[in-house]
Structures are given as structure tokens and as C-alpha cells.
Amino acid sequence: EAAVTQSPRNKVTVTGGNVTLSCRQTNSHNYMYWYRQDTGHGLRLIHYSYGAGNLQIGDVPDGYKATRTTQEDFFLLLELASPSQTSLYFCASSDSGTGGQDTQYFGPGTRLLVL
Amino acid sequence: SQWGEENLQALSIQEGEDVTMNCSYKTYTTVVHWYRQDSGRGPALIILIRSNEREKRSGRLRATLDTSSQSSSLSITAAQCEDTAVYFCATDAYQGGRALIFGTGTTVSVSP
């Protein structure tokens, strides 16, 4: 069973605050993804990466930066958090290949509240 | 949007009943994923059906794919209370096939 962990699990910050969400996968997967989940929108892709040092822009990237430091670690950065970024954030990973054809394994999620 | 208008938001059924949820998409895809999300957890893949397959079964789950009408369905036979979850379909018609695009999900509630 693929393992994806996220930290923190819950985070509260204020408008303008600086937040880093962490994700680690221990399955040597090439692809890693950051999603946000909001009621009525399902899962929306923020950024993804297919290897250390690589970053691809997703569907809703505004206000977010991301960095893939190693095969295992993918970080999502909110440098000036806004209330509109209050959401449930998921990280996922998938094996090599075309990414979209492979099973994605999701972490448990981080609930972020921006006051 | 990638998705058609007939993707249901919520279904409520009783234990033992069968349930089917549909997913229609607008852009050609080579694969449809079906994920299940339990309350407080991340989504987990339950069935993946490729464009060269018309039907796929896994236990009480059955997925179909009709590439001509660009639609997929997921059926649960003899639903149990533990089938209560949100079910998402996703296609790879996105980012050159390197990422998935998810539908908004169908909430299935199974009562005793």
C-alpha cells in the first residue's frame, strides 16, 4: 500500500500569514500533486511535479508556490495567505508513466483556515 | 468544463438496494478513474477502466465506459452502510495526460 503523509493536519493562520504544507511519499513515485477540495468544486489541481526540481502549473495556481526538493518531498507554500485559501488540501503521488493513467495515492489531507 | 451536466450530486438509498452514478465528460480520455472518499480521509481508487474496456468489475462494484457517448458509470450492487461515501470520477484528459481532472463527486448515503 502506497504511503503518503501530510503535515500539519490542521493549520490556522491570519490573512497575510506565511504557510508551508508538507507532503512526503515513500514509494519512489515520480509524480506528486497538490489539490484543494472545496464544496461544489471537487478536487482542483494546484501544482504538480514529475521529479525533484520539476514543477508544473495546475488549474488553480494563483497565490500558491510549490517546490519538490527530493523524490519524496513536495511542499506547498502560501506566502500571503488569504481567506479564499481556506480549504482542505490533499497531496497525492503516482508511479512513473503518463501520470494520468496511474493510480493516485492520496494523503490524509491538511485543513487550513485563514482568518 | 470537462464535465457534462448530468453528474448527480447526491443519492440516498437503503441497504440492499443497487445504486448507479454516472459521469459524462467532454474531452476524449484514455482512462476513467473512480475514487471513493470516506469522511475525513483522502480519496482512494476503487476502479480504473481504460478506453479499450467496456466494463470492469471488482466485488460489488461495476464500472462501464462508453467512449462513443463519452460517459462512464459506477454501480454498487446490494449497497451496505459502509458504502456511504463520496464517489468521484476522473479522466486523464488533462495536462497532456500527466494529470487527472476530477468531477465534483456524488455523495452516496446508505441507510439501514
Side-chain angles (χ1 to χ4, degrees):
Chain A
E1 179 76 16
V4 180
T5 56
Q6 294 182 236
S7 63
R9 295 295 312 277
N10 293 281
K11 177 72 177 179
V12 180
T13 190
V14 295
T15 299
N18 203 323
V19 176
T20 298
L21 306 184
S22 302
C23 177
R24 166 165 283 198
Q25 56 94 5
T26 57
N27 299 285
S28 301
H29 285 170
N30 286 342
Y31 285 84
M32 295 186 74
Y33 306 85
W34 277 108
Y35 295 92
R36 61 178 289 172
Q37 185 174 31
D38 305 286
T39 303
H41 291 281
L43 290 153
R44 292 182 291 175
L45 183 66
I46 304 170
H47 291 297
Y48 70 103
S49 166
Y50 49 80
N54 176 266
L55 182 66
Q56 302 295 316
I57 294 171
D59 212 20
V60 289
D62 292 347
Y64 301 97
K65 293 184 179 180
T67 182
R68 179 94 176 265
T69 55
T70 65
Q71 178 93 357
E72 296 78 21
D73 297 303
F74 195 28
F75 300 93
L76 186 67
L77 298 85
L78 292 71
E79 293 184 334
L80 287 171
S82 74
S84 65
Q85 294 176 307
T86 292
S87 188
L88 180 57
Y89 291 87
F90 286 102
C91 176
S93 73
S94 68
D95 208 347
S96 61
T98 57
Q101 292 240 350
D102 298 318
T103 302
Q104 290 198 8
Y105 296 90
F106 284 81
T110 294
R111 191 167 293 279
L112 174 67
L113 173 62
V114 183
L115 300 173
Chain B
S1 169
Q2 161 72 339
W3 304 105
E5 298 297 326
E6 63 269 34
N7 301 328
L8 287 175
Q9 295 293 308
L11 294 167
S12 294
I13 60 171
Q14 292 194 308
E15 267 194 324
E17 293 182 345
D18 299 343
V19 62
T20 296
M21 60 207 88
N22 298 301
C23 174
S24 66
Y25 52 92
K26 295 180 179 178
T27 306
Y28 173 77
T29 186
T30 61
V31 62
V32 174
H33 299 228
W34 283 95
Y35 285 81
R36 166 195 171 128
Q37 185 178 23
D38 295 319
S39 180
R41 305 190 69 172
L45 182 76
I46 51 176
I47 281 191
L48 186 153
I49 183 166
R50 301 189 187 277
S51 57
N52 62 350
E53 301 172 304
R54 291 187 62 83
E55 179 181 293
K56 194 104 171 257
R57 291 179 184 267
S58 176
R60 294 184 293 105
L61 303 176
R62 173 178 173 260
T64 66
L65 178 58
D66 184 342
T67 54
S68 62
S69 65
Q70 298 192 150
S71 64
S72 178
S73 70
L74 176 70
S75 299
I76 305 174
T77 302
Q80 308 294 309
C81 288
E82 53 264 33
D83 295 324
T84 294
V86 181
Y87 294 83
F88 293 95
C89 60
T91 75
D92 71 340
Y94 189 55
Q95 299 275 340
R98 293 179 296 180
L100 294 176
I101 184 165
F102 283 80
T104 54
T106 297
T107 299
V108 174
S109 301
V110 184
S111 55

